[in-house]
Amino acid sequence: MKKVIGSAIAILAAGKGTRLKSKRAKVLHEIGGKPLLQHVIDAALTNTPPERIFVVVGHQAEEVERAVRHTGVHFIRQTEQLGTGHAVQCLQEAVGAHKDLLVLSGDAPLIRPETMERLREFHHAQQAAMTILTARPANAFGYGRVLRVSAGSPEVAAIVEQKSLTGEQHRINEINSGIYMFRTEALYRHIDALRPNNAQGEYYLTDMAELLRNAGERVVALETEDATEVLGANTIAEMMHLDAEMRMAAARHLMAMGVTIYRPETCVIDGDVSVGADTIIEPFVQLLGKTQVGEDCRIRSYSVIQNSTLGNGVLVRNSCVLEQASVCDGALIGPYAHLRPESHIGRGAHVGNFVETKKTRLGDGSKANHLAYLGDSNIGPGCNIGAGVITCNYDGTHKHLTQIGEGVFVGSNSTLVAPVALEDGCYVAAASCVTENVPQGALALGRARQVIKPGWAERRAKMQKAKGVRKRTPSAATERTS
Ligand code: UD1
Ligand code: CA
């Protein structure tokens, strides 16, 4: 789509969000893995450069600006939140010189760039001073209603807020989305005529419809095809409804690309996630952030994968947690594995039950199948890391590296005290405490020698009998009362 020159976008995001009953500003609440405002900015940025996007901030302005500053948009402060009309008044100096102004609401995050373009085109075709994007949702309660001049006419006489509806007006099901196009010159020529003479004592931007029409300007409405797109988020429940809509849309998009998602309504999938064809996602899986999953994978139930990259043919068994991990083709993860940031799992490698990795590279075909902690380690290909192996990477002050070469066998329950290196093809005997480097092909034994005391059990039993010690056997009765 072509870049729009000559028009600006305003995003209203200064309000407190009183109806949320939250300490955090409304536009910072997250749905679909991103703050509400970030969704609106992302949609705006699709066709408009950040220099032409102006965000009105006020309540918790610093926090709001910090959250979205990276996008490069401008911020305009509305120090007192006197209403949506007042918010647009605050923008006059910044946007007055642009030909048109598209006004978006920071709390209507599902708006699509295509719809903004349609609104823009309609506005120009209608040669209007104000064009209102409208919708007919199943439940219009709470929204401002649009009074058309007559049924079927594009022209609008006024917008009436929920609290000001009278008699028959309650039956109007066409709502104001809070998204508008204005001819800036007409908007600012008349905006000072707004008066806060309403239920909330605020300057309503919606009053511009009647004001402009009374001044002889053309005010029209364009109805969206899909009412969900303009739904607002004024309460936590409304927000969670939008969150579900958004996640479901992401799931539907993936399914259209050949991904099988069982019970998609139970999965949480962020909009930026990509998944290859023929991958199967089981119920209750979460794929978050910028996660990328290849083809022919299977992600079993209850796994949560965040900002991670999986190759093709990867099997993630039940209840794994992956954060900023990368997993190569054909690897097998879990169940109950925890891959923490900077874990790199090689081709065909196995990370099994209750294994935790962090800043660790596990080479191609290497296996750590049970109960291990591998942190700050670099493990070559074809290694076998036994059950219960632990890299002791932390000395209380600093983190140290464990280097393991190719084809190394680390026996179960060994502790590798870093910094330490195990060279290619060496063996570590089970239950060793390894504090020194192990040379290539060597066997390291680092454990106390076993002592055998023949007949000890019988001697003990005799001693206890002499002292009158009786063996206690638990029973259902004692278990229940203790
Ligand atoms: C508004 C519209 C209503 C419409 C609905 C759609 C008005 C008077 N009403 O109502 O007709 O159906 O949106 O969702 O405009 N804001 C500021 N500064 C302020 C007040 C609000 O920046 O002084 C921002 C808010 O942060 C929010 C947006 O403007 O992002 C809309 O404000 P909100 O109070 O949510 O308006 P609604 O009551 O939903
Ligand atoms: Ca709102």
Side-chain angles (χ1 to χ4, degrees), residues 72-322:
V73 299
H74 297 285
F75 298 103
I76 306 295
R77 292 279 176 109
Q78 182 193 19
T79 37
E80 259 186 299
Q81 288 80 59
L82 304 179
T84 47
H86 178 252
V88 172
Q89 262 171 337
C90 295
L91 281 167
Q92 181 161 7
E93 209 179 305
V95 306
H98 292 85
K99 183 170 173 287
D100 303 301
L101 184 66
L102 169 60
V103 176
L104 302 174
S105 188
D107 68 348
L110 300 190
I111 184 69
R112 289 179 310 132
E114 294 81 353
T115 306
M116 295 183 201
E117 288 312 302
R118 266 189 67 218
L119 180 66
R120 210 189 290 278
E121 278 160 24
F122 186 78
H123 175 73
H124 290 150
Q126 290 284 324
Q127 300 190 327
M130 176 181 188
T131 304
I132 305 150
L133 185 66
T134 71
R136 290 179 206 271
N139 182 5
F141 186 85
Y143 290 95
R145 310 300 159 76
V146 176
L147 271 61
R148 300 239 183 191
V149 170
S150 59
S153 161
E155 285 189 70
V156 171
I159 302 172
V160 184
E161 289 304 292
Q162 174 74 42
K163 285 184 182 159
S164 310
L165 290 173
T166 55
E168 286 290 289
Q169 289 175 344
H170 284 277
R171 299 240 296 267
I172 300 171
N173 64 356
E174 186 172 19
I175 62 125
N176 165 30
S177 67
I179 295 170
Y180 325 82
M181 274 296 287
F182 287 101
R183 202 171 72 235
T184 357
E185 169 272 313
L187 169 68
Y188 288 115
R189 186 146 43 85
H190 296 285
I191 199 165
D192 291 337
L194 285 179
R195 291 287 169 266
N197 51 357
N198 50 55
Q200 283 170 279
E202 289 186 353
Y203 294 89
Y204 285 170
L205 184 58
T206 46
D207 288 346
M208 285 309 297
E210 196 174 358
L211 236 158
L212 285 167
R213 188 176 161 83
N214 288 347
E217 295 285 357
R218 187 169 167 81
V219 178
V220 297
L222 172 70
E223 190 185 328
T224 51
E225 283 152 11
D226 177 10
T228 30
E229 195 182 338
V230 300
L231 292 180
N234 298 306
T235 62
I236 302 270
E238 281 174 1
M239 240 177 240
M240 294 308 102
H241 175 67
L242 299 191
D243 178 80
E245 287 284 341
M246 199 169 271
R247 256 79 190 235
M248 199 56 199
R252 271 198 297 268
H253 170 73
L254 293 180
M255 290 191 280
M257 308 301 282
V259 179
T260 298
I261 307 178
Y262 289 103
R263 304 290 304 274
E265 72 281 12
T266 67
C267 294
V268 177
I269 300 175
D270 283 350
D272 294 337
V273 167
S274 72
V275 182
D278 295 310
T279 282
I280 297 171
I281 297 170
E282 295 188 2
F284 298 100
V285 162
Q286 299 194 35
L287 301 178
L288 308 174
K290 304 216 176 304
T291 291
Q292 297 183 323
V293 179
E295 296 182 2
D296 302 307
C297 295
R298 188 170 190 117
I299 317 292
R300 292 202 180 276
S301 295
Y302 311 113
S303 286
V304 180
I305 305 182
Q306 192 161 17
N307 293 322
S308 295
T309 305
L310 277 59
N312 298 325
V314 171
L315 169 60
V316 177
R317 291 193 171 126
N318 302 66
S319 305
C320 292
V321 176
L322 279 69

Side-chain angles (χ1 to χ4, degrees), residues 322-398:
L322 279 69
E323 319 154 58
Q324 289 173 50
S326 70
V327 180
C328 295
D329 296 355
L332 206 155
I333 312 295
Y336 306 104
H338 187 184
L339 308 190
R340 291 168 51 202
E342 296 181 57
S343 294
H344 300 280
I345 310 304
R347 280 171 170 268
H350 293 189
V351 178
N353 318 249
F354 303 104
V355 172
E356 174 182 347
T357 64
K358 187 219 75 175
K359 261 196 181 173
T360 281
R361 183 173 289 277
L362 188 66
D364 292 351
S366 285
K367 291 173 186 167
N369 271 329
H370 333 266
L371 304 152
Y373 171 62
L374 305 172
D376 300 286
S377 55
N378 197 349
I379 303 169
C383 291
N384 198 314
I385 309 295
V389 168
I390 290 178
T391 54
C392 309
N393 58 332
Y394 187 47
D395 63 10
T397 314
H398 297 108

